[in-house]
Amino acid sequence: MSTVMHVRCPHELPEETYRQVLEMLAELSPVVQALPPTAALVELKGALRYHGTDARRLGESLRVRTLSRLGVDVRIGVGPSITVAATASAQVPEPGGVLAVEPDQVAAWLGPLPVDALHGIGPRQAEALRDYGIHCVGLLAAVPPAAVQRLLGGRAGRTAADRARGIDPRPVVPRALPATATVSRTFSRHAIDGAEVRAALLELVVGLGRLLRRRGQAARALTLTLTFVGDGGWERTRRLTEPSAHDDDLRLIAYQLMDAAGLQRGRLTALALKGEDLVGADQVVEQLSLDDAREARLAVEAAVDRVRDRFGPDVIGPAAVFRHAS
């Protein structure tokens, strides 16, 4: 029996409306996992017995309610696992509808789909698979797992091979909309744009990245807030290409935001960097990386995190931060 529901709301849905959709999902089942900014998972195993209906009808009922109460149409996929349900919801054409896949239908339904339609397969992974003639999910399922691991890497390959066969033991974990994560720096004297401010921003990036990784979260967007002498301020938000908690990715967006501020001789009193639209790290699609240097930096980042956890956050960090530490 299909027991997992994946719900996709329209893109750019206001957060308040998204929260109202989550409240409606909680009326169906106590096990709701928010996947901001516009999606959610629902475990239906107990809910089906309580409501006395099947998963397809429950999805159709939800769609009627979101339309009538909120004016929001949703795309709903239902399946025996998170992968199948999320893949199904992506196959529902906009503006909305319900697609339910029963356990005995999984192999036949997944098989003809393009390989990049399988939930969790990113563009680079799909490209690598297609280069080796693996164009559909059925072919991916037929390839020995060891061969997929050689193509995509150990863990990513094992995961892709399993999910192509409909194997996904992950449970739906109750999770409300996550809070934001903010780090800030106040200057002991008025600072102007330059090496000192850039070093302070880098320090915030490192602090935010470590905070997110310790909480098991990743940011979809960053907001930079500058406070000037006289209580003047500047604030902008920019989205990341993919959710991340890695220093490299956060630094790129933070520097873009600082450049966008166009500071000349502005006298700053404080900086704040906020990670927004947070998602659980387990929800981030791991893209195949062809950048050996990036992979090496990520390995170093993990090692540095272990050192900081053992000896304290200030024991190691970028040289620029230590040079300009006040």
Side-chain angles (χ1 to χ4, degrees):
M1 180 181 292
S2 300
T3 62
V4 177
M5 176 186 289
H6 187 275
V7 180
R8 295 177 189 266
C9 300
H11 297 299
E12 307 302 328
L13 188 73
E15 182 177 313
E16 181 55 36
T17 307
Y18 176 50
R19 289 182 182 275
Q20 290 176 302
V21 173
L22 293 177
E23 290 171 2
M24 287 188 182
L25 296 181
E27 295 174 4
L28 297 182
S29 168
V31 186
V32 176
Q33 182 174 340
L35 302 176
T38 57
L41 288 166
V42 186
E43 173 56 66
L44 299 176
K45 191 174 296 182
L48 296 178
R49 187 180 301 110
Y50 176 82
H51 292 284
T53 186
D54 61 32
R56 183 190 298 275
R57 290 191 179 92
L58 206 57
E60 290 169 347
S61 173
L62 170 67
R63 187 182 173 211
V64 168
R65 277 186 280 174
T66 60
L67 274 169
S68 61
R69 295 185 193 178
L70 304 175
V72 174
D73 206 347
V74 293
R75 295 185 292 157
I76 299 172
V78 184
S81 69
I82 291 176
T83 291
V84 175
T87 302
S89 67
Q91 295 302 304
V92 175
E94 294 181 344
V98 180
L99 175 58
V101 182
E102 295 298 331
D104 59 356
Q105 301 172 335
V106 168
W109 182 76
L110 284 177
L113 294 178
V115 70
D116 56 357
L118 183 66
H119 182 69
I121 297 291
R124 290 186 180 180
Q125 291 174 324
E127 182 179 359
L129 292 169
R130 286 193 294 264
D131 285 345
Y132 282 85
I134 303 172
H135 296 276
C136 66
V137 178
L139 285 175
L140 178 57
V143 173
V148 183
Q149 287 180 253
R150 286 195 294 273
L151 291 177
L152 302 184
R155 186 171 63 175
R158 286 193 301 272
T159 300
D162 285 346
R163 293 181 183 177
R165 295 170 173 79
I167 300 171
D168 183 358
R170 293 176 298 165
V172 178
V173 179
R175 180 181 297 147
L177 268 181
T180 59
T182 304
V183 290
S184 60
R185 164 76 184 275
T186 300
F187 296 103
S188 57
R189 64 182 189 279
H190 302 159
I192 61 174
D193 185 33
E196 181 183 2
V197 172
R198 191 63 60 134
L201 181 59
L202 178 57
E203 182 179 14
L204 295 186
V205 166
V206 171
L208 179 61
R210 181 169 182 263
L211 174 61
L212 290 172
R213 294 191 295 273
R214 292 184 71 186
R215 285 166 48 168
Q217 294 180 308
R220 293 179 182 270
L222 290 185
T223 295
L224 177 64
T225 302
L226 309 179
T227 304
F228 300 100
V229 174
D231 295 327
W234 181 94
E235 182 175 286
R236 292 290 186 278
T237 300
R238 183 164 294 189
R239 299 190 71 80
L240 284 77
T241 304
E242 299 289 344
S244 179
H246 296 305
D247 293 354
D248 273 2
D249 304 324
L250 301 180
R251 181 174 59 246
L252 174 65
I253 301 301
Y255 282 6
Q256 288 176 356
L257 285 166
M258 181 62 80
D259 291 341
L263 297 180
Q264 298 298 324
R265 301 288 293 178
R267 295 161 63 198
L268 292 172
T269 60
L271 292 173
L273 189 64
K274 180 192 298 183
E276 301 197 82
D277 280 350
L278 304 187
V279 297
D282 58 341
Q283 298 299 318
V284 178
V285 175
E286 293 189 12
Q287 301 283 6
L288 176 66
S289 175
L290 304 180
D291 185 344
D292 292 339
R294 175 179 170 83
E295 292 302 313
R297 289 195 297 273
L298 295 183
V300 170
E301 180 181 82
V304 169
D305 281 347
R306 291 192 293 271
V307 171
R308 288 176 177 143
D309 289 341
R310 182 172 182 182
F311 298 105
D314 299 325
V315 71
I316 189 172
V321 172
F322 285 99
R323 280 199 301 267
H324 292 275
S326 56

mmCIF file of all heavy atoms in Angstrom, residues 5 24-25 27-28 51 53-69 74 76 98:
data_model
loop_
_atom_site.group_PDB
_atom_site.id
_atom_site.type_symbol
_atom_site.label_atom_id
_atom_site.label_comp_id
_atom_site.label_asym_id
_atom_site.label_seq_id
_atom_site.Cartn_x
_atom_site.Cartn_y
_atom_site.Cartn_z
ATOM 1 N N MET A 5 3.166 10.559 1.093
ATOM 2 C CA MET A 5 2.646 11.594 0.203
ATOM 3 C C MET A 5 3.673 12.713 0.095
ATOM 4 O O MET A 5 4.211 13.165 1.101
ATOM 5 C CB MET A 5 1.326 12.163 0.747
ATOM 6 C CG MET A 5 0.752 13.326 -0.069
ATOM 7 S SD MET A 5 -0.727 14.055 0.737
ATOM 8 C CE MET A 5 -1.917 12.740 0.462
ATOM 9 N N MET A 24 -2.900 22.312 7.001
ATOM 10 C CA MET A 24 -3.876 21.396 6.403
ATOM 11 C C MET A 24 -3.337 19.968 6.357
ATOM 12 O O MET A 24 -4.068 18.997 6.580
ATOM 13 C CB MET A 24 -4.241 21.862 4.992
ATOM 14 C CG MET A 24 -5.114 23.093 4.952
ATOM 15 S SD MET A 24 -5.675 23.407 3.267
ATOM 16 C CE MET A 24 -6.614 24.914 3.537
ATOM 17 N N LEU A 25 -2.041 19.829 6.050
ATOM 18 C CA LEU A 25 -1.436 18.497 6.039
ATOM 19 C C LEU A 25 -1.470 17.875 7.432
ATOM 20 O O LEU A 25 -1.669 16.659 7.574
ATOM 21 C CB LEU A 25 0.008 18.592 5.540
ATOM 22 C CG LEU A 25 0.205 19.070 4.102
ATOM 23 C CD1 LEU A 25 1.685 19.090 3.748
ATOM 24 C CD2 LEU A 25 -0.554 18.204 3.120
ATOM 25 N N GLU A 27 -3.742 18.171 9.497
ATOM 26 C CA GLU A 27 -5.098 17.661 9.719
ATOM 27 C C GLU A 27 -5.250 16.252 9.160
ATOM 28 O O GLU A 27 -6.116 15.491 9.601
ATOM 29 C CB GLU A 27 -6.120 18.591 9.066
ATOM 30 C CG GLU A 27 -6.169 19.994 9.684
ATOM 31 C CD GLU A 27 -7.082 20.924 8.915
ATOM 32 O OE1 GLU A 27 -7.739 20.457 7.953
ATOM 33 O OE2 GLU A 27 -7.147 22.120 9.258
ATOM 34 N N LEU A 28 -4.409 15.889 8.194
ATOM 35 C CA LEU A 28 -4.452 14.548 7.621
ATOM 36 C C LEU A 28 -3.672 13.548 8.458
ATOM 37 O O LEU A 28 -4.089 12.404 8.631
ATOM 38 C CB LEU A 28 -3.866 14.550 6.203
ATOM 39 C CG LEU A 28 -4.548 15.373 5.121
ATOM 40 C CD1 LEU A 28 -3.827 15.180 3.799
ATOM 41 C CD2 LEU A 28 -6.010 14.982 4.993
ATOM 42 N N HIS A 51 -8.915 7.870 8.513
ATOM 43 C CA HIS A 51 -9.841 8.550 7.618
ATOM 44 C C HIS A 51 -10.720 7.579 6.840
ATOM 45 O O HIS A 51 -11.673 8.014 6.166
ATOM 46 C CB HIS A 51 -9.071 9.441 6.637
ATOM 47 C CG HIS A 51 -8.402 10.607 7.292
ATOM 48 N ND1 HIS A 51 -9.081 11.736 7.712
ATOM 49 C CD2 HIS A 51 -7.094 10.831 7.611
ATOM 50 C CE1 HIS A 51 -8.236 12.598 8.242
ATOM 51 N NE2 HIS A 51 -7.020 12.074 8.202
ATOM 52 N N THR A 53 -10.135 5.744 4.107
ATOM 53 C CA THR A 53 -10.085 5.911 2.660
ATOM 54 C C THR A 53 -8.716 5.490 2.161
ATOM 55 O O THR A 53 -7.859 5.086 2.953
ATOM 56 C CB THR A 53 -10.377 7.376 2.270
ATOM 57 O OG1 THR A 53 -10.471 7.483 0.847
ATOM 58 C CG2 THR A 53 -9.282 8.303 2.766
ATOM 59 N N ASP A 54 -8.502 5.558 0.840
ATOM 60 C CA ASP A 54 -7.180 5.208 0.311
ATOM 61 C C ASP A 54 -6.373 6.476 0.051
ATOM 62 O O ASP A 54 -6.885 7.596 0.137
ATOM 63 C CB ASP A 54 -7.294 4.354 -0.957
ATOM 64 C CG ASP A 54 -8.019 5.046 -2.101
ATOM 65 O OD1 ASP A 54 -7.921 6.284 -2.210
ATOM 66 O OD2 ASP A 54 -8.690 4.356 -2.882
ATOM 67 N N ALA A 55 -5.100 6.286 -0.279
ATOM 68 C CA ALA A 55 -4.190 7.417 -0.390
ATOM 69 C C ALA A 55 -4.563 8.352 -1.540
ATOM 70 O O ALA A 55 -4.452 9.571 -1.413
ATOM 71 C CB ALA A 55 -2.759 6.900 -0.575
ATOM 72 N N ARG A 56 -5.016 7.790 -2.666
ATOM 73 C CA ARG A 56 -5.378 8.644 -3.802
ATOM 74 C C ARG A 56 -6.527 9.578 -3.437
ATOM 75 O O ARG A 56 -6.489 10.779 -3.708
ATOM 76 C CB ARG A 56 -5.755 7.794 -5.007
ATOM 77 C CG ARG A 56 -6.079 8.630 -6.250
ATOM 78 C CD ARG A 56 -6.685 7.762 -7.339
ATOM 79 N NE ARG A 56 -5.758 6.739 -7.766
ATOM 80 C CZ ARG A 56 -4.816 6.914 -8.683
ATOM 81 N NH1 ARG A 56 -4.674 8.096 -9.254
ATOM 82 N NH2 ARG A 56 -4.031 5.916 -9.023
ATOM 83 N N ARG A 57 -7.562 9.017 -2.800
ATOM 84 C CA ARG A 57 -8.718 9.846 -2.433
ATOM 85 C C ARG A 57 -8.332 10.884 -1.387
ATOM 86 O O ARG A 57 -8.851 12.000 -1.388
ATOM 87 C CB ARG A 57 -9.860 8.962 -1.930
ATOM 88 C CG ARG A 57 -10.513 8.120 -3.015
ATOM 89 C CD ARG A 57 -11.798 7.477 -2.517
ATOM 90 N NE ARG A 57 -12.428 6.695 -3.571
ATOM 91 C CZ ARG A 57 -12.230 5.407 -3.779
ATOM 92 N NH1 ARG A 57 -11.367 4.740 -2.999
ATOM 93 N NH2 ARG A 57 -12.841 4.765 -4.755
ATOM 94 N N LEU A 58 -7.418 10.508 -0.490
ATOM 95 C CA LEU A 58 -6.969 11.460 0.513
ATOM 96 C C LEU A 58 -6.228 12.619 -0.161
ATOM 97 O O LEU A 58 -6.403 13.783 0.217
ATOM 98 C CB LEU A 58 -6.060 10.759 1.518
ATOM 99 C CG LEU A 58 -5.983 11.361 2.938
ATOM 100 C CD1 LEU A 58 -7.355 11.444 3.566
ATOM 101 C CD2 LEU A 58 -5.048 10.527 3.805
ATOM 102 N N GLY A 59 -5.412 12.312 -1.168
ATOM 103 C CA GLY A 59 -4.725 13.359 -1.914
ATOM 104 C C GLY A 59 -5.688 14.246 -2.671
ATOM 105 O O GLY A 59 -5.533 15.480 -2.702
ATOM 106 N N GLU A 60 -6.721 13.661 -3.271
ATOM 107 C CA GLU A 60 -7.710 14.446 -4.008
ATOM 108 C C GLU A 60 -8.491 15.352 -3.057
ATOM 109 O O GLU A 60 -8.804 16.501 -3.391
ATOM 110 C CB GLU A 60 -8.648 13.510 -4.763
ATOM 111 C CG GLU A 60 -7.961 12.793 -5.924
ATOM 112 C CD GLU A 60 -8.804 11.681 -6.515
ATOM 113 O OE1 GLU A 60 -9.818 11.301 -5.870
ATOM 114 O OE2 GLU A 60 -8.451 11.174 -7.599
ATOM 115 N N SER A 61 -8.784 14.830 -1.864
ATOM 116 C CA SER A 61 -9.484 15.643 -0.865
ATOM 117 C C SER A 61 -8.626 16.830 -0.434
ATOM 118 O O SER A 61 -9.119 17.959 -0.289
ATOM 119 C CB SER A 61 -9.840 14.779 0.347
ATOM 120 O OG SER A 61 -10.381 15.556 1.390
ATOM 121 N N LEU A 62 -7.328 16.581 -0.236
ATOM 122 C CA LEU A 62 -6.419 17.674 0.149
ATOM 123 C C LEU A 62 -6.387 18.735 -0.935
ATOM 124 O O LEU A 62 -6.447 19.940 -0.642
ATOM 125 C CB LEU A 62 -5.015 17.116 0.382
ATOM 126 C CG LEU A 62 -3.917 18.172 0.563
ATOM 127 C CD1 LEU A 62 -4.125 18.944 1.858
ATOM 128 C CD2 LEU A 62 -2.540 17.509 0.545
ATOM 129 N N ARG A 63 -6.326 18.320 -2.177
ATOM 130 C CA ARG A 63 -6.255 19.283 -3.276
ATOM 131 C C ARG A 63 -7.511 20.154 -3.328
ATOM 132 O O ARG A 63 -7.432 21.371 -3.535
ATOM 133 C CB ARG A 63 -6.071 18.534 -4.594
ATOM 134 C CG ARG A 63 -5.824 19.467 -5.771
ATOM 135 C CD ARG A 63 -5.691 18.707 -7.066
ATOM 136 N NE ARG A 63 -5.614 19.638 -8.191
ATOM 137 C CZ ARG A 63 -6.060 19.367 -9.400
ATOM 138 N NH1 ARG A 63 -6.618 18.195 -9.674
ATOM 139 N NH2 ARG A 63 -5.943 20.276 -10.360
ATOM 140 N N VAL A 64 -8.662 19.553 -3.124
ATOM 141 C CA VAL A 64 -9.909 20.327 -3.116
ATOM 142 C C VAL A 64 -9.883 21.366 -2.002
ATOM 143 O O VAL A 64 -10.281 22.520 -2.187
ATOM 144 C CB VAL A 64 -11.127 19.387 -2.947
ATOM 145 C CG1 VAL A 64 -12.391 20.193 -2.646
ATOM 146 C CG2 VAL A 64 -11.325 18.548 -4.198
ATOM 147 N N ARG A 65 -9.362 20.972 -0.846
ATOM 148 C CA ARG A 65 -9.348 21.899 0.292
ATOM 149 C C ARG A 65 -8.363 23.050 0.092
ATOM 150 O O ARG A 65 -8.658 24.187 0.438
ATOM 151 C CB ARG A 65 -9.025 21.136 1.580
ATOM 152 C CG ARG A 65 -10.259 20.470 2.193
ATOM 153 C CD ARG A 65 -9.934 19.841 3.528
ATOM 154 N NE ARG A 65 -9.287 18.553 3.338
ATOM 155 C CZ ARG A 65 -8.795 17.823 4.332
ATOM 156 N NH1 ARG A 65 -8.831 18.287 5.578
ATOM 157 N NH2 ARG A 65 -8.246 16.655 4.096
ATOM 158 N N THR A 66 -7.171 22.761 -0.451
ATOM 159 C CA THR A 66 -6.224 23.863 -0.667
ATOM 160 C C THR A 66 -6.759 24.838 -1.717
ATOM 161 O O THR A 66 -6.537 26.049 -1.614
ATOM 162 C CB THR A 66 -4.841 23.341 -1.100
ATOM 163 O OG1 THR A 66 -4.952 22.604 -2.322
ATOM 164 C CG2 THR A 66 -4.224 22.468 -0.023
ATOM 165 N N LEU A 67 -7.466 24.308 -2.710
ATOM 166 C CA LEU A 67 -8.043 25.178 -3.731
ATOM 167 C C LEU A 67 -9.173 26.031 -3.168
ATOM 168 O O LEU A 67 -9.243 27.243 -3.404
ATOM 169 C CB LEU A 67 -8.560 24.337 -4.903
ATOM 170 C CG LEU A 67 -7.549 23.979 -5.993
ATOM 171 C CD1 LEU A 67 -8.134 22.922 -6.929
ATOM 172 C CD2 LEU A 67 -7.141 25.211 -6.781
ATOM 173 N N SER A 68 -10.062 25.400 -2.393
ATOM 174 C CA SER A 68 -11.244 26.115 -1.913
ATOM 175 C C SER A 68 -10.914 27.088 -0.794
ATOM 176 O O SER A 68 -11.486 28.178 -0.727
ATOM 177 C CB SER A 68 -12.310 25.118 -1.448
ATOM 178 O OG SER A 68 -11.821 24.318 -0.387
ATOM 179 N N ARG A 69 -9.972 26.732 0.079
ATOM 180 C CA ARG A 69 -9.667 27.583 1.235
ATOM 181 C C ARG A 69 -8.590 28.625 0.934
ATOM 182 O O ARG A 69 -8.653 29.749 1.439
ATOM 183 C CB ARG A 69 -9.203 26.726 2.416
ATOM 184 C CG ARG A 69 -10.249 25.776 2.972
ATOM 185 C CD ARG A 69 -9.697 25.093 4.214
ATOM 186 N NE ARG A 69 -10.497 23.955 4.627
ATOM 187 C CZ ARG A 69 -10.194 23.170 5.659
ATOM 188 N NH1 ARG A 69 -9.078 23.417 6.359
ATOM 189 N NH2 ARG A 69 -10.969 22.158 5.991
ATOM 190 N N VAL A 74 -2.145 22.188 -5.845
ATOM 191 C CA VAL A 74 -0.936 21.456 -5.456
ATOM 192 C C VAL A 74 -0.777 20.223 -6.328
ATOM 193 O O VAL A 74 -1.747 19.680 -6.866
ATOM 194 C CB VAL A 74 -0.977 21.040 -3.969
ATOM 195 C CG1 VAL A 74 -0.907 22.257 -3.067
ATOM 196 C CG2 VAL A 74 -2.215 20.213 -3.658
ATOM 197 N N ILE A 76 0.516 16.379 -6.140
ATOM 198 C CA ILE A 76 0.651 15.381 -5.087
ATOM 199 C C ILE A 76 1.095 14.054 -5.684
ATOM 200 O O ILE A 76 0.486 13.549 -6.639
ATOM 201 C CB ILE A 76 -0.683 15.189 -4.338
ATOM 202 C CG1 ILE A 76 -1.114 16.506 -3.681
ATOM 203 C CG2 ILE A 76 -0.573 14.075 -3.308
ATOM 204 C CD1 ILE A 76 -2.507 16.468 -3.087
ATOM 205 N N VAL A 98 -3.096 14.563 -8.763
ATOM 206 C CA VAL A 98 -2.664 13.502 -7.859
ATOM 207 C C VAL A 98 -2.211 12.299 -8.687
ATOM 208 O O VAL A 98 -2.904 11.878 -9.622
ATOM 209 C CB VAL A 98 -3.805 13.066 -6.911
ATOM 210 C CG1 VAL A 98 -3.324 11.953 -5.975
ATOM 211 C CG2 VAL A 98 -4.330 14.248 -6.120
#
